[in-house]
Amino acid sequence: QVQLVESGGGLVQAGDSLRLSCAASGRTLSSYGMGWFRQAPGKEREFVAAINWISGNTYYEDSVKGRFTISRDNAKNTVYLQMNSLKPEDTAVYYCAASVRALSSTWAPSEGMYSYWGQGTKVTVSS
């Protein structure tokens, strides 16, 4: 079992930055793929970014490319989402997820690839 706890959300203004963290416990993430998803009010949850733990390959949803960066710290068993140039449309609850399978550009956006989910952290971007 893997427990995931997100943190770092908050209320910011458009153009600001935030860094979300996802700390894992229960097992090390050395063979997992990690993803970030988000769910805006009244909308379905959508893929944001993912990283393969071993290779470090990363994948991004088009609207966040160049603004968001996913990274991981093996020693801390933690994955991060650095969010720059935030926009009001980035407002959502952000969820961290862990996959026991290697991710690819095709499968990283699929929620079905992920076995473990965090409780979410809320990000609000004001205009």
Side-chain angles (χ1 to χ4, degrees), residues 5-39:
V5 178
E6 304 96 333
S7 61
L11 172 62
V12 296
Q13 293 188 332
D16 285 352
S17 298
L18 274 178
R19 188 177 79 159
L20 305 183
S21 299
C22 173
S25 61
R27 294 183 65 176
T28 61
L29 298 176
S30 59
S31 60
Y32 286 72
M34 298 296 297
W36 286 97
F37 289 75
R38 65 186 179 186
Q39 187 168 21

Side-chain angles (χ1 to χ4, degrees), residues 21-79:
S21 299
C22 173
S25 61
R27 294 183 65 176
T28 61
L29 298 176
S30 59
S31 60
Y32 286 72
M34 298 296 297
W36 286 97
F37 289 75
R38 65 186 179 186
Q39 187 168 21
K43 294 187 177 182
E44 304 226 338
R45 189 158 58 186
E46 65 175 1
F47 170 74
V48 176
I51 184 168
N52 265 318
W53 202 260
I54 296 177
S55 69
N57 289 342
T58 57
Y59 313 96
Y60 295 95
E61 193 270 331
D62 285 346
S63 69
V64 307
K65 284 180 181 176
R67 299 190 298 124
F68 291 11
T69 303
I70 187 170
S71 62
R72 85 277 198 215
D73 185 324
N74 293 349
K76 295 183 178 180
N77 222 27
T78 298
V79 64

Side-chain angles (χ1 to χ4, degrees), residues 3 20 33 72 96 115:
Q3 293 79 44
L20 305 183
R72 85 277 198 215
C96 168
S115 303

